[in-house]
Amino acid sequence: MVSTGPEETAASELEPLLTAQQIAVRVAEMGVRISADYEPEPVLLVGVLKGAAIFLADLARSLHLEASYDFLAASSYGQGTRSSGVVRLIKDLSEDISSRHVIVVEDILDTGLTLNYLCRLLRERHPKSLRTAVLLDKPSRRQVPFKADYVGFTIPDEFVVGYGLDFQERYRNLPGVYRLGGSIAKV
Ligand code: IMP
């Protein structure tokens, strides 16, 4: 039997929030804006694994700048949909960021704990500048004050998956963003 694509695998618990087309248009706009802000300086994109991998790949290709990238990984989430509140660095960068223009690229800004922690950590390494780019922002969920420099979409307080975002490692490969509905969202 022919295997089903990711859209078919997605069960009825998923409600569309952003289409792949809407995301592509917005990411291209963010690329234009970031390029205008940094031109002609090179930038280093720092992606936060695993969720930001897909966003970073698209954002990097939308920049009209010399751009390199590296990844780190932090964890604040357990197996459910709520943050444990404690952020840990699981994987560090392999690049030296001192005297470089660094843009931390994150899938979603939620409580703010992860980016707050990461920015404090990276600032100690003396980058030339440090900014943040997030695809999604849920401002109503903030536990620490944090404002991203570049925001794709501001969304309400709902758990979302797709375009890199997961629920228990599922749904990351969906090309759009979906609300995770039903009882699963309350785990
Ligand atoms: P924060 O530290 O609470 O801002 O959370 C940042 C991280 O939480 C993100 O990188 C995601 O991994 C995860 N996260 C927060 N909200 C969602 C969501 O709605 N869906 C999937 N992951 C989320």
Side-chain angles (χ1 to χ4, degrees):
M1 186 157 163
V2 179
S3 71
T4 57
E7 297 291 359
E8 276 176 82
T9 315
S12 56
E13 72 229 27
L14 300 184
E15 263 179 66
L17 182 65
L18 298 167
T19 64
Q21 176 64 17
Q22 285 173 307
I23 296 169
V25 169
R26 187 66 187 126
V27 172
E29 287 171 357
M30 293 175 83
V32 169
R33 170 77 201 284
I34 293 171
S35 301
D37 287 354
Y38 287 89
E39 172 82 74
E41 301 273 312
V43 295
L44 171 67
L45 303 177
V46 167
V48 185
L49 292 172
K50 299 174 192 171
I54 291 177
F55 175 41
L56 184 143
D58 286 343
L59 188 66
R61 285 177 292 178
S62 75
L63 295 177
H64 313 286
L65 292 173
E66 188 186 322
S68 40
Y69 57 81
D70 196 359
F71 290 95
L72 49 68
S75 160
S76 69
Y77 272 60
Q79 284 293 296
T81 58
R82 290 184 198 277
S83 170
S84 66
V86 181
V87 184
R88 286 182 306 130
L89 191 68
I90 294 172
K91 180 204 171 295
D92 206 341
L93 297 170
S94 43
E95 299 272 323
D96 178 6
I97 66 165
S98 62
S99 308
R100 299 175 76 176
H101 290 298
V102 173
I103 305 175
V104 181
V105 179
E106 174 66 308
D107 53 1
I108 189 164
L109 175 54
D110 185 36
T111 63
L113 292 167
T114 306
L115 278 179
N116 186 53
Y117 167 81
L118 291 176
C119 286
R120 268 193 289 127
L121 185 91
L122 296 178
R123 235 174 244 121
E124 286 169 10
R125 299 179 188 183
H126 308 294
K128 195 167 182 182
S129 69
L130 183 68
R131 286 189 180 171
T132 53
V134 301
L135 179 75
L136 305 173
D137 185 7
K138 286 198 274 194
S140 61
R141 292 259 310 159
R142 225 52 111 245
Q143 286 178 26
V144 288
F146 196 96
K147 219 171 158 307
D149 299 286
Y150 305 101
V151 175
F153 302 90
T154 300
I155 63 166
D157 177 11
E158 280 167 317
F159 198 82
V160 292
V161 295
Y163 197 72
L165 291 141
D166 77 308
F167 172 67
Q168 296 181 347
E169 295 301 326
R170 292 177 67 195
Y171 309 121
R172 289 194 198 274
N173 63 321
L174 296 177
V177 170
Y178 295 79
R179 287 188 194 96
L180 189 63
S183 53
I184 293 171
K186 299 187 182 65
V187 170

